[in-house]
Amino acid sequence: MSNVITKPTLVVNCGSSSIKYALISEDNQHRITGMAENLGLDNARIVHKCLDGKKTEVDIPGANHKSALVKIMSLLGNQSPIAVGHRVVHGGREFSSAVEITPHVLSEIKRLKELAPLHNPANAIGIEAVQSIYPDLPQVGVFDTAFHQTMPPKAYRYAIPKEMYEKDFIRRYGFHGTSHAYLSHRASQITEQQGPHGWLIAHLGNGSSTTAVYEGKSLDTSMGLTPLEGLMMGTRCGDVDPSLHIHLKRTMGLSLEQIDEILNKKSGLLGVSGVSNDMRTVESIANDNSHPDQKNAELAVEMFCYRAGKYLASLSCALPHLTGIVFSGGIGENSATIRARIIEVMRHFSLDLDEQKNDSLYGGEEGSFHTADSKYELWVIPTDEEYQIAKETRAVLGL
Ligand code: ADP
């Protein structure tokens, strides 16, 4: 097994108290994965999955990002990475593609915390931790926002005074870019239609977003300045009237912080159903007539599907030509019912779904589910952000 991983590239996704990692071979056929969680606490631990799929759990009480990374590297054994690719959430206007980490890039990532206060500082901690342990290992930042830097101004500007854009860079950035890049590229590889290709991508997970991609370029997307804009999500409200904040402040006396917490953490599927942010749970309660929250759960599912379909339909305006729709993310990859309901919302698009094929696509299966009569193609493609980050990392470094 020792030489199986060719050009092993370590992909690191640091959160404030966690590190998700994957060591990926150049051909994407082999991968070691794992996650360090509860960092900084007594119950910090690493769950590590070896090449053969065997899981090991290692307690690392009180470990910080740096000591966890030392342990992760030792768990990788003789599979030493040739480079590290970091998922970085916000690249602002500065980064329209992945870049090698330099002192300047690192300081920009830190400065951009004003746009992603929860994420960019954790991403920077991960970069510094790797730097301090392996100063000679090349590192690359792969930004969630970068793929959307091709959006035209009509899509990325808000209709607010221009000074706010020019001086304070208030604009739409979009997120999930690595996933949308992977999915649109993959769709263009597997379709039998000749290009140019226009795709509507629905990444539906706990966080959800849709993007219009034409010839590999993002032309518009549902998330904006922050990942709160757009679709209804697990705990995020998506689009609301921008006057909601002032209304809640005036009528309920809530602070901006309380309102932010409600809209980000207590809304979406959780807020409407009153029971869960998890689509599996919400769907099963919606189907259980004896459950006291059945009606609320059913409305949550209906709203989720209506908004996703409405967004996909509206994003078609960005595309010179539509080839098809791609579903992905935990919900998009696994729930045939949700896919069918979203397609029903888009009933004027002459989409014709093959029920049997739709039902057969779950648990990591890739495939199409349109009939020969469908005007546009329908695909399920499991997303692979780790692979995309590893690929971009090697490309930036010329490896
Ligand atoms: P994240 O945005 O955190 O990466 P995921 O892409 O893993 O999220 O998606 C998580 C969501 O996928 C949850 O709402 C979960 O219920 C949903 N999901 C997973 N499997 C199914 C399924 N079989 N049916 C419906 N929803 C599912």
Side-chain angles (χ1 to χ4, degrees), residues 20 176 203-208 234 236 269 276-283 304 328-338 362-363 383 385:
K20 281 192 201 143
H176 286 149
H203 175 117
L204 308 176
N206 238 328
S208 295
R236 289 177 234 159
L269 289 174
S276 176
N277 66 315
D278 192 290
M279 183 57 97
R280 268 167 303 198
T281 312
V282 178
E283 264 195 307
F304 180 92
S328 194
I331 300 170
E333 289 167 30
N334 291 301
S335 178
T337 328
I338 300 286
Y362 58 89
T383 196
E385 288 160 288

Coordinates of all heavy atoms in Angstrom, one line a residue, residues 20 176 203-208 234 236 269 276-283 304 328-338 362-363 383 385, ligand 1:
K20 N -10.9 19.4 8.9 CA -11.2 18.3 8.0 C -10.1 18.1 7.1 O -9.5 19.1 6.6 CB -12.5 18.6 7.2 CG -13.8 18.4 8.0 CD -14.9 18.4 7.0 CE -16.2 18.7 7.7 NZ -17.1 19.5 7.0
H176 N -19.5 28.5 -2.1 CA -19.6 27.1 -2.7 C -18.9 27.1 -4.0 O -19.2 26.2 -4.9 CB -21.0 26.6 -2.9 CG -21.7 26.3 -1.6 ND1 -23.1 26.4 -1.5 CD2 -21.3 25.8 -0.4 CE1 -23.5 26.0 -0.3 NE2 -22.4 25.6 0.4
H203 N -26.6 23.2 -5.6 CA -25.8 22.5 -4.5 C -26.7 22.6 -3.2 O -26.8 23.7 -2.7 CB -24.5 23.2 -4.3 CG -23.7 22.7 -3.1 ND1 -22.5 22.1 -3.2 CD2 -24.0 22.7 -1.8 CE1 -22.1 21.7 -2.0 NE2 -23.0 22.1 -1.1
L204 N -27.4 21.5 -2.9 CA -28.4 21.6 -1.8 C -27.9 20.7 -0.7 O -28.0 19.5 -0.7 CB -29.7 21.0 -2.4 CG -30.3 21.7 -3.6 CD1 -31.5 21.0 -4.1 CD2 -30.5 23.2 -3.4
G205 N -27.4 21.4 0.4 CA -27.0 20.7 1.6 C -27.5 21.4 2.8 O -28.6 22.1 2.7
N206 N -26.8 21.4 3.9 CA -27.1 22.3 5.0 C -27.1 23.7 4.6 O -28.0 24.5 4.9 CB -26.1 22.0 6.1 CG -26.8 21.6 7.4 OD1 -28.0 22.0 7.6 ND2 -26.1 20.7 8.1
G207 N -26.0 24.1 3.9 CA -25.9 25.3 3.2 C -26.3 25.0 1.7 O -25.9 24.0 1.2
S208 N -27.1 25.9 1.1 CA -27.5 25.6 -0.3 C -27.3 26.8 -1.1 O -27.5 28.0 -0.7 CB -29.0 25.2 -0.3 OG -29.2 24.0 0.4
G234 N -30.6 24.9 5.8 CA -30.9 24.2 7.1 C -31.3 25.1 8.2 O -32.4 24.9 8.8
R236 N -30.5 28.7 7.8 CA -30.4 30.1 7.3 C -31.7 30.4 6.5 O -32.2 29.6 5.8 CB -29.2 30.3 6.4 CG -27.9 30.3 7.2 CD -26.7 30.4 6.2 NE -25.8 29.3 6.4 CZ -24.9 28.9 5.5 NH1 -24.8 29.5 4.4 NH2 -24.1 27.9 5.8
L269 N -35.1 25.5 7.4 CA -35.9 24.3 7.7 C -36.2 24.2 9.1 O -37.3 23.9 9.5 CB -35.1 23.0 7.3 CG -34.9 22.8 5.8 CD1 -34.0 21.5 5.6 CD2 -36.2 22.5 5.1
S276 N -36.4 20.5 13.1 CA -35.0 20.1 12.7 C -34.5 20.9 11.5 O -35.3 21.4 10.7 CB -35.0 18.6 12.4 OG -33.8 18.2 11.9
N277 N -33.2 21.0 11.5 CA -32.5 21.6 10.3 C -32.2 20.5 9.3 O -31.6 20.8 8.2 CB -31.3 22.3 10.7 CG -30.2 21.4 11.2 OD1 -30.5 20.5 12.0 ND2 -29.0 21.5 10.7
D278 N -32.4 19.2 9.6 CA -32.0 18.1 8.8 C -33.1 17.6 7.9 O -34.2 17.3 8.4 CB -31.5 17.0 9.8 CG -30.8 15.9 9.0 OD1 -31.4 15.2 8.2 OD2 -29.6 15.8 9.2
M279 N -32.8 17.7 6.6 CA -33.9 17.4 5.6 C -34.5 16.0 5.8 O -35.7 15.8 5.7 CB -33.4 17.6 4.2 CG -34.4 17.4 3.2 SD -35.9 18.5 3.4 CE -35.5 19.8 2.2
R280 N -33.6 15.0 6.2 CA -34.1 13.6 6.4 C -35.2 13.6 7.5 O -36.3 13.1 7.3 CB -33.0 12.7 6.8 CG -32.4 12.0 5.7 CD -31.1 11.3 6.1 NE -30.2 12.3 6.7 CZ -28.9 12.2 6.9 NH1 -28.4 11.0 6.6 NH2 -28.2 13.1 7.4
T281 N -34.9 14.3 8.6 CA -35.9 14.3 9.7 C -37.1 15.1 9.3 O -38.2 14.7 9.5 CB -35.2 15.0 10.9 OG1 -33.9 14.5 11.1 CG2 -36.1 14.9 12.2
V282 N -36.9 16.3 8.6 CA -38.1 17.1 8.3 C -39.0 16.3 7.3 O -40.2 16.3 7.4 CB -37.6 18.4 7.7 CG1 -38.8 19.3 7.3 CG2 -36.8 19.2 8.7
E283 N -38.3 15.6 6.3 CA -39.1 14.9 5.3 C -39.9 13.8 6.0 O -41.1 13.5 5.7 CB -38.2 14.2 4.3 CG -38.1 15.1 3.0 CD -37.5 14.3 1.8 OE1 -36.4 13.7 2.0 OE2 -38.1 14.2 0.8
F304 N -38.9 25.0 0.8 CA -37.5 24.7 0.3 C -37.5 24.4 -1.2 O -36.7 25.0 -1.9 CB -36.9 23.5 1.1 CG -35.5 23.1 0.7 CD1 -34.4 23.6 1.4 CD2 -35.3 22.2 -0.4 CE1 -33.1 23.3 1.0 CE2 -34.0 21.9 -0.7 CZ -32.9 22.4 0.0
S328 N -26.8 18.4 -6.5 CA -25.7 17.9 -5.7 C -25.9 18.3 -4.2 O -26.9 18.9 -3.9 CB -24.4 18.4 -6.3 OG -23.3 17.7 -5.7
G329 N -24.9 18.0 -3.4 CA -25.0 18.3 -2.0 C -25.8 17.2 -1.3 O -26.5 16.4 -2.0
G330 N -25.8 17.1 0.0 CA -26.5 16.0 0.7 C -27.9 15.8 0.3 O -28.4 14.6 0.1
I331 N -28.6 16.9 0.1 CA -30.1 16.7 -0.3 C -30.2 16.4 -1.8 O -30.9 15.5 -2.2 CB -30.8 18.0 0.1 CG1 -30.8 18.3 1.6 CG2 -32.3 18.0 -0.4 CD1 -31.3 19.7 2.0
G332 N -29.5 17.2 -2.6 CA -29.5 17.0 -4.1 C -29.0 15.7 -4.5 O -29.5 15.1 -5.5
E333 N -28.1 15.1 -3.8 CA -27.5 13.8 -4.2 C -28.4 12.6 -3.7 O -28.3 11.5 -4.3 CB -26.1 13.6 -3.6 CG -25.1 14.5 -4.2 CD -23.8 14.5 -3.4 OE1 -23.5 13.5 -2.8 OE2 -23.1 15.5 -3.5
N334 N -29.2 12.9 -2.7 CA -29.9 11.7 -2.0 C -31.4 11.7 -2.1 O -32.0 10.6 -2.0 CB -29.5 11.7 -0.5 CG -28.0 11.3 -0.4 OD1 -27.6 10.2 -0.8 ND2 -27.2 12.1 0.2
S335 N -32.0 12.8 -2.2 CA -33.5 12.8 -2.1 C -34.2 13.0 -3.5 O -34.2 14.1 -4.1 CB -34.0 14.0 -1.2 OG -35.4 13.9 -1.2
A336 N -34.6 11.8 -4.0 CA -35.4 11.8 -5.3 C -36.6 12.6 -5.2 O -37.0 13.3 -6.2 CB -35.7 10.4 -5.7
T337 N -37.3 12.6 -4.0 CA -38.5 13.4 -3.8 C -38.3 14.9 -4.0 O -39.1 15.6 -4.6 CB -39.1 13.1 -2.4 OG1 -38.7 11.8 -2.0 CG2 -40.5 13.3 -2.3
I338 N -37.2 15.3 -3.3 CA -37.0 16.8 -3.4 C -36.6 17.2 -4.8 O -37.1 18.2 -5.3 CB -35.8 17.2 -2.4 CG1 -36.1 16.8 -1.0 CG2 -35.4 18.7 -2.6 CD1 -37.1 17.7 -0.3
Y362 N -28.9 7.9 -5.6 CA -28.6 8.3 -4.2 C -27.3 7.6 -3.7 O -26.8 6.8 -4.4 CB -29.8 7.9 -3.3 CG -30.1 6.4 -3.2 CD1 -29.4 5.6 -2.3 CD2 -31.0 5.8 -4.2 CE1 -29.7 4.2 -2.3 CE2 -31.2 4.5 -4.2 CZ -30.6 3.7 -3.3 OH -30.8 2.3 -3.3
G363 N -26.9 8.1 -2.6 CA -25.7 7.5 -1.9 C -24.4 7.5 -2.7 O -23.7 6.6 -2.8
T383 N -20.8 15.9 -5.3 CA -19.8 17.0 -5.4 C -18.5 16.4 -4.8 O -18.5 15.4 -4.0 CB -20.2 18.3 -4.7 OG1 -19.3 19.3 -5.1 CG2 -20.2 18.2 -3.2
E385 N -15.4 18.5 -3.5 CA -14.6 19.7 -3.3 C -13.2 19.4 -3.0 O -12.3 20.2 -3.4 CB -15.3 20.6 -2.1 CG -16.6 21.2 -2.6 CD -17.5 21.6 -1.4 OE1 -18.0 20.7 -0.8 OE2 -17.6 22.8 -1.2
Ligands
ADP1 P1 -23.2 20.5 4.4 O1 -23.7 21.8 3.8 O2 -23.1 20.6 5.9 O3 -21.9 20.0 3.7 P2 -24.4 18.2 3.3 O4 -24.1 18.5 1.9 O5 -23.8 17.0 3.9 O6 -24.3 19.5 4.2 O7 -26.0 17.9 3.4 C1 -26.7 17.7 4.6 C2 -28.2 17.6 4.3 O8 -28.4 16.5 3.4 C3 -29.0 17.4 5.5 O9 -30.1 18.2 5.5 C4 -29.4 15.9 5.4 O10 -30.6 15.6 5.9 C5 -29.5 15.9 3.8 N1 -29.6 14.5 3.4 C6 -28.7 13.5 3.5 N2 -29.2 12.3 3.0 C7 -30.5 12.6 2.7 C8 -31.6 11.8 2.2 N3 -31.4 10.5 1.9 N4 -32.8 12.4 2.0 C9 -32.9 13.7 2.2 N5 -32.0 14.5 2.7 C10 -30.8 13.9 2.9

